[in-house]
Structures are given as structure tokens and as C-alpha cells.
Amino acid sequence: MGRNIVDFSLEELKNYKPELTNKPESFDWFWRKQKERLNNFHPSVTISERDYSAKTVDVFDLCLTSFDETPLKGVLIKPKGVDNCPVVLCFHGYTGYRGEVVNHLKWTTLGYAVVAFDVRGQGDSPDYAKYTNGSRVQGWMLQGILEAENYYYTNVYRDCLIQLNWLRSDEFPVEPSILGVMGASQGGGLALATAGLNPTIDFAIVDYPFLSNFERALEVALTGPYLEIIKYFKLNDPQYQTYEQVVKTLGYIDSVHFCPLIRCPVLMAVALEDSITPPSTVYAAYNHLASQEKHIEIYPQFAHEAIPFHEEKKLAFLSKVEKYC
């Protein structure tokens, strides 16, 4: 295990725990306010059973209407005839979608029910939010960036909390024996934020999380969504740049800022050749986790890509996580 191509040495990565200097003073108040806003919100969810070829599972198509009437398409896959079992809420990567049923079947072999929704504006789901500032840069990173209360990812995090509340409600078709979150890249960042915002989460599986340690990411990322922010500054006259406001908004959604609140078991993966979510940004999140049971798998030759060996390790983790909960 030597050096990766864009970042610190492995030894430096293991010790990288940056000060949270970009965490807004009102961070805790801000998210307490968001959660209070959603406490009495009960989403409308349509559930339609699907005739599926694998007869060992029940499959349901979902549509959850979020706080601003945005309809989020989703899917529920559960072991056949089971109404009480472990549940995992899966989040997808940037520009992705909830996934096909076959993508999630491996988790059902362990007795888990799987729920996955599109992120708003991605996959098959629209985004009904109105953002006060536009941008010449394509993508979602800058939508509403000058107003934290109505930033794109603030809305996405609200969606995640609503989904979680629904999974804990009597309306959800399964009673969760334990409930965890899972995701890679954007999905990993959402899993960390959701686990930090809700202490009832029992476990988290996080692969090379995006939305982490923005200060470092903007310095070393060579490609991917972080560069949308770099382009924003290149396209705006420095005289009128709003750097401080952009940084402050990102501070409210930086997944590293949620990690000290996470105490559940966590399995994480880092790819040392990753130029999209650089390894140092992953270690920043991992080293700030408050979890006693946490482990990071290191993949020196991998970049921002699927890691088949790690899928086996995630199955092993899920098979024994209940004893930690």
C-alpha cells in the first residue's frame, strides 16, 4: 500500500482529522429547526405491488410526496410474506436512480427488506423546489447555493428524514427489527448525514462518500461534481463573488459535520486512486465518526468505481450487525 495518485500517503490519510473550521456556529440550531419543521409532516405514499420474476421476494413500487409536493419514485423489496425484519434504506450516487430490483436482491438473501428512492431531480423524480439563484454550471451543486434554507441538498436531506420517518411509522408495510442506511458516493454522503441527523439509525454502510470535507475536496478533486463549484467561481467576476456565502451554505450539508453525531456501527470503503471523492475527504469523515464499532476497507488500486470484493464484505457486515445493535 503505497501512495495514491492525487492525495496524501496512506499513513497521512490514517491520521487526517481536520478541524471543523467551516462548521457554521448555527449548524445544530439549523438542523434542529429543519427536523422540527418535519415532525408533524406525514407524507402521502402510494404503494403498488409488482409481479416480479423472483418468487422469494415481494416487490412494491413507491411514490412518496415530499414536503414541497415533489413526488419521489421508490421501490421496496422484502423477503416473501415477511412483515418484521431488518430494513436498509439505500441512497444512490450522483446522476443515478433508485436502481433495478436485481441490484438489491443480495441484501434480501440475508433477510433484509430494502427501500430505495430517487434523489429529487435525479432518476425518474422531478424537483418542485424553487431556487433563488441560477447558474451557468450544469448540475445540482449550485441550485440555491446562496440560501442555505433552500439549498438543493438541504431539500434532499429533508427528503431523507421524511423517508426515515415513514419507515418508522405504522404506515410502512414492514416493522423494522433494525434499521440502517447504505450508499456510495452521493449516497454515502446522504447515509452519513441521515445517520447523524437521526440517532435511531442502527448501522451505516458508506462507500467513498461525496459531500465530505469540502475545503479539502475543492483543493484536490480532479473531476466530478466538486468541480461544478470551481467552475462557478471561474464564471463569476471576483468583484461580485460570494465565496463566503457559498462556503457557509456547504458547511450546513458537509457530511463530515454530521460524523461526530454518529455512534452506530459503520463500515466504510476508500479507493486510493479516487480523483472524484479523494481519499483524504473519506478519511476526514471516518476519523470524525464517534462510533465505537467502525471499520474502513482500503482499496489501493481502485478509483471511483464498483468494488466487487467490498460487496462481499458488506454482506458479511450485514450478517452480523444485529449483535452490535
Side-chain angles (χ1 to χ4, degrees):
M1 294 184 183
R3 289 186 63 85
N4 56 75
I5 59 174
V6 297
D7 215 332
F8 298 138
S9 70
L10 182 56
E11 197 57 38
E12 290 170 318
L13 289 171
K14 289 179 177 179
N15 294 302
Y16 179 61
K17 188 178 181 181
E19 294 292 327
L20 303 182
T21 55
N22 191 39
K23 183 177 181 180
E25 290 183 5
S26 58
F27 178 88
D28 293 333
W29 172 86
F30 179 87
W31 283 109
R32 185 166 61 251
K33 178 182 174 185
Q34 305 310 318
K35 289 193 286 186
E36 288 172 355
R37 173 181 173 182
L38 300 174
N39 277 345
N40 296 318
F41 178 78
H42 302 287
S44 170
V45 183
T46 60
I47 306 173
S48 304
E49 188 166 9
R50 189 195 303 184
D51 183 20
Y52 191 67
S53 54
K55 302 308 178 186
T56 56
V57 293
D58 296 318
V59 178
F60 302 87
D61 292 308
L62 310 173
C63 184
L64 181 150
T65 302
S66 196
F67 65 94
D68 61 353
E69 302 299 321
T70 294
L72 303 175
K73 301 293 182 63
V75 65
L76 162 64
I77 309 109
K78 69 180 185 69
K80 190 75 174 180
V82 170
D83 56 11
N84 184 304
C85 64
V87 176
V88 60
L89 177 59
C90 296
F91 302 113
H92 65 74
Y94 198 75
T95 75
Y97 73 116
R98 60 195 178 277
E100 300 298 334
V101 172
V102 70
N103 303 137
H104 303 294
L105 286 180
K106 53 183 173 285
W107 316 127
T108 66
T109 64
L110 294 176
Y112 279 76
V114 180
V115 178
F117 286 96
D118 288 347
V119 173
R120 62 171 55 225
Q122 301 179 37
D124 299 319
S125 298
D127 182 2
Y128 288 174
K130 305 297 183 184
Y131 299 105
T132 55
N133 67 284
S135 171
R136 286 175 284 169
V137 181
Q138 193 171 18
W140 292 278
M141 295 301 299
L142 299 164
Q143 294 188 22
I145 191 67
L146 301 182
E147 187 182 9
E149 182 75 22
N150 193 39
Y151 178 45
Y152 173 77
Y153 276 107
T154 304
N155 291 332
V156 171
Y157 286 11
R158 289 184 185 123
D159 293 337
C160 295
L161 288 171
I162 290 169
Q163 293 164 25
L164 196 63
N165 289 343
W166 180 62
L167 295 184
R168 290 290 194 192
S169 74
D170 292 337
E171 284 74 33
F172 184 56
V174 177
E175 182 179 350
S177 56
I178 60 171
L179 175 58
V181 289
M182 176 190 299
S185 194
Q186 173 185 254
L190 298 183
L192 288 173
T194 304
L197 285 167
N198 195 310
T200 67
I201 291 293
D202 294 305
F203 65 87
I205 298 177
V206 180
D207 301 350
Y208 37 80
F210 176 51
L211 307 170
S212 298
N213 195 199
F214 279 98
E215 304 100 305
R216 178 69 181 166
L218 295 177
E219 290 179 354
V220 297
L222 299 177
T223 187
Y226 288 123
L227 269 62
E228 293 177 26
I229 300 168
I230 300 296
K231 291 178 183 177
Y232 173 81
F233 290 120
K234 286 185 176 181
L235 291 172
N236 287 273
D237 187 332
Q239 181 180 353
Y240 302 105
Q241 278 188 13
T242 51
Y243 178 82
E244 291 78 11
Q245 184 57 53
V246 169
V247 169
K248 183 176 181 180
T249 297
L250 295 176
Y252 285 110
I253 59 98
D254 192 326
S255 63
V256 173
H257 296 162
F258 296 94
C259 288
L261 304 172
I262 299 174
R263 291 176 169 78
C264 65
V266 178
L267 174 65
M268 195 174 286
V270 60
L272 296 188
E273 302 293 338
D274 193 339
S275 60
I276 296 176
T277 57
S280 55
T281 67
V282 177
Y283 268 96
Y286 180 76
N287 288 332
H288 273 288
L289 289 170
S291 307
Q292 291 187 348
E293 295 289 341
K294 65 177 184 178
H295 179 69
I296 187 165
E297 291 286 347
I298 304 165
Y299 296 95
Q301 279 73 49
F302 280 84
H304 200 79
E305 58 189 308
I307 305 172
F309 316 109
H310 194 60
E311 295 302 294
E312 296 285 358
K313 292 170 185 175
K314 289 194 283 190
L315 278 168
F317 175 84
L318 284 175
S319 71
K320 62 184 179 183
V321 72
E322 282 193 84
K323 73 180 183 181
Y324 298 123
C325 300

